[in-house]
Amino acid sequence: MQKKVFIKTFGCQMNEYDSNRIYDTVKNIGYIRNDDQNDVDCYILNTCHIRDKAKEKVYHEIGRVKKSFRGKKKPIVVVAGCVAQAENEEMLKREPYIDIVIGPQAYHKINDLILNQHKNKKIDETDFDTVTKFNYFDDIKNENSKISAFLTIQEGCDKFCHFCVVPYTRGPEYSRPFEQIIKEAEELIKNGVREITLLGQNVNAYSYCENGKEYRISDLIKKLDQYSELKRVRYTTSHPRDMTDDLIDCYSSCNKLMPFVHLPIQSGSDKILHLMNRKHKVEDYLKVYEKLININNDIKFSSDFIIGYPGETENDFNDTLKLLDKVNFINSFSFIFSPRPGTTASNYELIDNEICKERLVTIQKKLFNNQIQINKSMEKQSVEVLVENKLKNQNKYFGRNKYLSSVIFDGSEDIIGKLVEVKIENSNQNNLFGKLDNKMAAA
Ligand code: SAM
Ligand code: SF4
Ligand code: F3S
């Protein structure tokens, strides 16, 4: 008999990819995706541990599930993802409503755990077994049927920035075999995917060796560039240190690689970068920036910033603001430093929270203002959009331009999955609004 499963996903794109693969996996034991989260036999929470209150959010969410299933048959409750990895059996002890705790490198075991859950009572599965996981996934079709899909090529991190939990929750760096990735990409394209975003916590550190040849992310991009049905290629998230010349060259040789680079710098102060153990200076970042601009001056950038990192003085913060005058970021993420248990920076003395909040407001004002101006500059222009879907309950369509900005416009069902030209009429901080430009040819 078919059963229903729902996955609530928090965190980064890698969690989105994982949730999609978990749906593909549990299908083999008769669990079908159901988007009504209050009517399921199995409820999976795919969690993120990157910033504070992550753990509390999970318990809060479990409390909500408990309430909504009161008086009904209890679903099997699974906590997956990075909080599961970090907290493991503690979660089972604290919240008896949870049945299974499973870390990101053990998803190949999820079917057995669900099937045997009644026998084992409570299960904690948090070993790092990345190779087996991807070999297992290799045998299961990626049935992602969206126009734009994620494809994990690399997992984990060996860089150990002092603020970050990822090396502890995702384990050591691992790069999937080149051919395994290409096979999965071909499946996606066959399913109708027209844009692939290659994923990794350190995606540009991708390195796979076979028969004496080293395959880098540039090799994957060059290969994907050859598939005629595929329209766009992206990748995220990169580390400035791994922005090698072969990857930079792809911005002139691969037409499908979008001219948008998400390149986190975290701070504009060398002193803070050193305290963060980032292993690069501002100057190194700017060198990469200039190389990219020189090879293709259409490229736009986005970044991540941590505000109020321990030791950040007014001068250090001003250095970060000055960086925004040098690089015109199209959009960026900025968050106040959040001490994470087990990381080196969790022992450092915190900066007064009011100062952090003030600095966050200042930087976001500048970043958001930039974003508004860049979007405004696109008004009255035609931009190329990959159409992803029709908006729910509206006669409008949604897609993205080459810089990943969301575009909402009047269209028709037959353009989904196609590249079209949209004449931008209006904009706000996060969206561009327009109409199909019929004068321009659609691909
Ligand atoms: N690997 C990427 C890199 O090195 O730039 C970053 C991946 S991390 C999942 C995404 C972002 O979360 C980081 O760039 C950082 O800005 C933010 N982040 C990580 N740990 C944080 C912390 N303890 N407090 C605040 N922000 C944090
Ligand atoms: Fe975290 Fe990125 Fe640093 Fe790795 S390189 S520790 S994922 S911030
Ligand atoms: Fe969060 Fe884990 Fe991603 S901590 S940001 S879900 S790698």
Side-chain angles (χ1 to χ4, degrees), residues 12 50-52 157 159 161 163-166 200-203 237-240 262-266 278 304-307 333 335-340 343:
C12 64
I50 205 81
R51 274 175 291 273
D52 66 7
C157 180
K159 293 203 168 61
C161 299
F163 51 82
C164 184
V165 286
V166 169
Q201 271 91 18
N202 262 284
V203 75
T237 295
S238 319
H239 192 283
H262 179 62
L263 196 58
I265 185 165
Q266 317 298 354
R278 281 293 285 182
D304 293 348
F305 295 93
I306 295 182
I307 306 304
F333 298 101
F335 291 99
I336 293 174
F337 167 70
S338 163
R340 309 310 296 130
T343 60

Side-chain angles (χ1 to χ4, degrees), residues 238-251:
S238 319
H239 192 283
R241 266 176 62 125
D242 295 311
M243 218 60 213
T244 47
D245 287 344
D246 54 318
L247 174 54
I248 292 176
D249 284 343
C250 288
Y251 285 93

Side-chain angles (χ1 to χ4, degrees), residues 263-298:
L263 196 58
I265 185 165
Q266 317 298 354
S267 168
S269 150
D270 281 341
K271 182 191 99 190
I272 296 299
L273 290 178
H274 179 68
L275 289 174
M276 288 176 166
N277 194 31
R278 281 293 285 182
K279 302 190 185 90
H280 64 80
K281 293 189 171 169
V282 175
E283 192 192 339
D284 304 321
Y285 186 93
L286 290 174
K287 267 191 199 149
V288 169
Y289 166 77
E290 269 150 29
K291 272 190 190 174
L292 281 160
I293 288 288
N294 285 339
I295 205 154
N296 180 345
N297 68 5
D298 196 24

Side-chain angles (χ1 to χ4, degrees), residues 2-164:
Q2 272 188 356
K3 295 190 170 184
K4 296 177 204 156
V5 57
F6 171 78
I7 309 178
K8 184 148 191 167
T9 309
F10 297 92
C12 64
Q13 294 100 328
M14 303 212 50
N15 265 11
E16 272 188 53
Y17 172 85
D18 288 344
S19 291
N20 183 44
R21 298 303 272 144
I22 294 172
Y23 276 128
D24 291 336
T25 305
V26 295
K27 217 184 217 178
N28 285 346
I29 54 165
Y31 279 86
I32 299 301
R33 178 183 180 145
N34 185 22
D35 287 336
D36 176 2
Q37 52 180 303
N38 298 318
D39 173 25
V40 288
D41 303 283
C42 180
Y43 190 100
I44 303 176
L45 213 57
N46 196 359
T47 60
C48 171
H49 203 234
I50 205 81
R51 274 175 291 273
D52 66 7
K53 303 201 185 88
K55 200 167 54 171
E56 294 318 310
K57 255 192 229 160
V58 177
Y59 291 117
H60 185 263
E61 187 56 28
I62 300 287
R64 199 201 56 74
V65 178
K66 235 187 212 176
K67 221 163 143 188
S68 85
F69 281 86
R70 200 169 284 154
K72 299 191 222 165
K73 184 172 175 270
K74 178 190 174 305
I76 297 173
V77 174
V78 182
V79 179
C82 292
V83 178
Q85 185 65 44
E87 292 294 312
N88 46 57
E89 76 217 89
E90 281 309 307
M91 307 201 86
L92 295 173
K93 283 189 200 144
R94 176 165 158 187
E95 179 47 270
Y97 201 72
I98 301 172
D99 299 294
I100 297 168
V101 168
I102 183 165
Q105 309 309 352
Y107 294 149
H108 52 291
K109 297 184 186 164
I110 198 162
N111 283 354
D112 282 347
L113 299 185
I114 292 174
L115 291 174
N116 294 314
Q117 172 270 337
H118 57 286
K119 285 189 215 146
N120 296 340
K121 279 297 204 215
K122 302 281 163 194
I123 311 162
D124 157 34
E125 194 52 79
T126 46
D127 286 346
F128 287 132
D129 196 1
T130 326
V131 181
T132 320
K133 177 181 79 168
F134 281 114
N135 286 344
Y136 181 87
F137 279 169
D138 189 34
D139 288 334
I140 295 174
K141 270 205 159 112
N142 185 334
E143 298 199 310
N144 198 315
S145 57
K146 290 198 186 135
I147 298 302
S148 177
F150 295 130
L151 203 179
T152 294
I153 64 165
Q154 178 276 344
E155 256 206 88
C157 180
D158 295 337
K159 293 203 168 61
F160 290 92
C161 299
H162 284 170
F163 51 82
C164 184

Side-chain angles (χ1 to χ4, degrees), residues 367-377 427-429:
L367 287 167
F368 295 165
N369 196 34
N370 248 2
Q371 219 168 306
I372 292 170
Q373 293 312 320
I374 291 172
N375 281 353
K376 266 237 147 330
S377 74
S427 67
N428 61 23
Q429 187 189 318

